[in-house]
Amino acid sequence: MITRDQISTVLDHPVYDGTGNKIGDAKHVFFDDVTGEPEWVTVKTGFFGTSESFVPIHDGTLVEDHLEVPFAKDTVKEAPNVDVDAGGHLSEEEEHRLYEYYGIDWDTAWQQANQRGQAGLAGTGTAAQTQATAGREPAGDDAMTRSEEEMHVGVERRATGRARLRKFVVTEEVQKTVPVRHEEVRVEHEPITDANRDAAMSGTDITEAEHEVTIHEERPVVETETVPVERVRLDTEERTEEETVRGEVRKERIETELPEETDETGGTTGGTGKS
């Protein structure tokens, strides 16, 4: 159980679930009005801590510099959204809703409070009072703390799309001109001369004979060969652009009221100031 003396170690420190997953950072601790014991802690969750979830603290354990609670991270993040009023209190209806969400029996919690001799753990209309990280005024202090909010802007990296390479085959018609040759038969007649007379007179005088000539031609032959022509790859290029982020922050102003004083002429002086 977390004591009041350990609150400073809890606030603005990490909060983990029972399996070691970080839920967020502790922002506020709520106390029971009557018992004065810590009852709830709010945890900043979501991107840049934009959400604040309530989680019971009485079963939490302080481990080194962080708080461990017996609830899963997703359970805490999905807890009912509760708005705390200006007085920093939970209504009975709001606390009842939180108890029911976390599986804590309302009547049992009330009986346990009675067994400790202090009424109102689960039966008062104002269940808890906030202990904030800034703006709390200690009792007996004659100074007032002025606080203001600061805006912290970060970036998140997210996927915006996917690009892929896909290779497929297409067929296209290619036309090329190539020369081809062929042979044709030509009949030649030559007169008998002294040079060919002997060849012409050889053999028998009258006979039948045949002479055959083989005719040739060329035809185009098509062959294909696969050759590499280029390599293609995907790469990413990071570019930096300027974006303006606007938000609202709250500041506390302190106004002073001075008592009226009587001057020498019998009139009164006084004034107010702001900081």
Side-chain angles (χ1 to χ4, degrees), residues 176-217:
K176 289 188 176 182
T177 302
V178 59
V180 294
R181 296 176 299 177
H182 68 278
E183 296 177 342
E184 295 181 353
V185 176
R186 185 180 64 212
V187 179
E188 295 183 354
H189 300 269
E190 61 180 29
I192 301 299
T193 62
D194 291 340
N196 60 13
R197 187 179 297 278
D198 293 339
M201 296 299 294
S202 64
T204 59
D205 295 339
I206 300 297
T207 184
E208 292 181 357
E210 288 183 359
H211 183 69
E212 185 177 277
V213 176
T214 301
I215 302 172
H216 300 85
E217 71 175 2

Side-chain angles (χ1 to χ4, degrees), residues 32-272:
D32 183 89
D33 284 341
V34 178
T35 65
E37 297 177 355
E39 287 296 321
W40 302 93
V41 60
T42 63
V43 184
K44 284 286 189 179
T45 60
F47 289 113
F48 315 125
T50 54
S51 300
E52 195 168 352
S53 301
F54 279 76
V55 59
I57 197 176
H58 47 73
D59 290 330
T61 304
L62 192 62
V63 180
E64 296 180 352
D65 63 343
H66 67 269
L67 174 67
E68 288 188 2
V69 293
F71 300 99
K73 176 179 179 179
D74 292 340
T75 301
V76 176
K77 292 178 67 176
E78 298 298 327
N81 184 25
V82 176
D83 292 329
V84 182
D85 60 24
H89 286 75
L90 293 174
S91 67
E92 181 177 354
E93 179 182 356
E94 290 169 335
E95 190 174 24
H96 198 165
R97 183 155 55 101
L98 288 170
Y99 271 127
E100 182 178 1
Y101 175 78
Y102 283 105
I104 301 174
D105 184 71
W106 178 266
D107 294 331
T108 301
W110 184 84
Q111 292 173 5
Q112 289 175 350
N114 282 339
Q115 290 173 1
R116 293 196 301 266
Q118 298 171 348
L121 173 65
T124 61
T126 55
Q129 182 176 359
T130 180
Q131 166 73 40
T133 58
R136 179 177 173 86
E137 308 301 333
D141 194 352
D142 59 357
M144 180 178 294
T145 301
R146 187 181 69 85
S147 304
E148 66 183 35
E149 295 178 337
E150 294 182 352
M151 185 173 70
H152 301 278
V153 179
V155 297
E156 61 171 327
R157 188 179 182 90
R158 62 187 181 90
T160 57
R162 296 181 62 88
R164 63 169 57 90
L165 287 176
R166 183 171 63 91
K167 185 171 69 172
F168 57 95
V169 178
V170 296
T171 302
E172 60 181 20
E173 185 175 326
V174 177
Q175 180 176 314
K176 289 188 176 182
T177 302
V178 59
V180 294
R181 296 176 299 177
H182 68 278
E183 296 177 342
E184 295 181 353
V185 176
R186 185 180 64 212
V187 179
E188 295 183 354
H189 300 269
E190 61 180 29
I192 301 299
T193 62
D194 291 340
N196 60 13
R197 187 179 297 278
D198 293 339
M201 296 299 294
S202 64
T204 59
D205 295 339
I206 300 297
T207 184
E208 292 181 357
E210 288 183 359
H211 183 69
E212 185 177 277
V213 176
T214 301
I215 302 172
H216 300 85
E217 71 175 2
E218 294 178 340
R219 291 185 177 179
V221 177
V222 178
E223 293 182 355
T224 59
E225 177 186 4
T226 301
V227 294
V229 293
E230 67 176 353
R231 291 180 61 80
V232 181
R233 65 169 53 91
L234 286 178
D235 196 6
T236 60
E237 179 181 357
E238 188 171 279
R239 298 179 180 269
T240 302
E241 299 177 350
E242 296 285 342
E243 286 196 12
T244 301
V245 180
R246 291 183 173 85
E248 294 183 353
V249 295
R250 296 178 299 171
K251 296 183 179 181
E252 294 177 344
R253 299 295 188 190
I254 297 177
E255 180 177 304
T256 60
E257 296 183 0
L258 302 179
E260 294 182 351
E261 297 180 357
T262 303
D263 58 18
E264 296 179 352
T265 61
T268 59
T269 61
T272 60

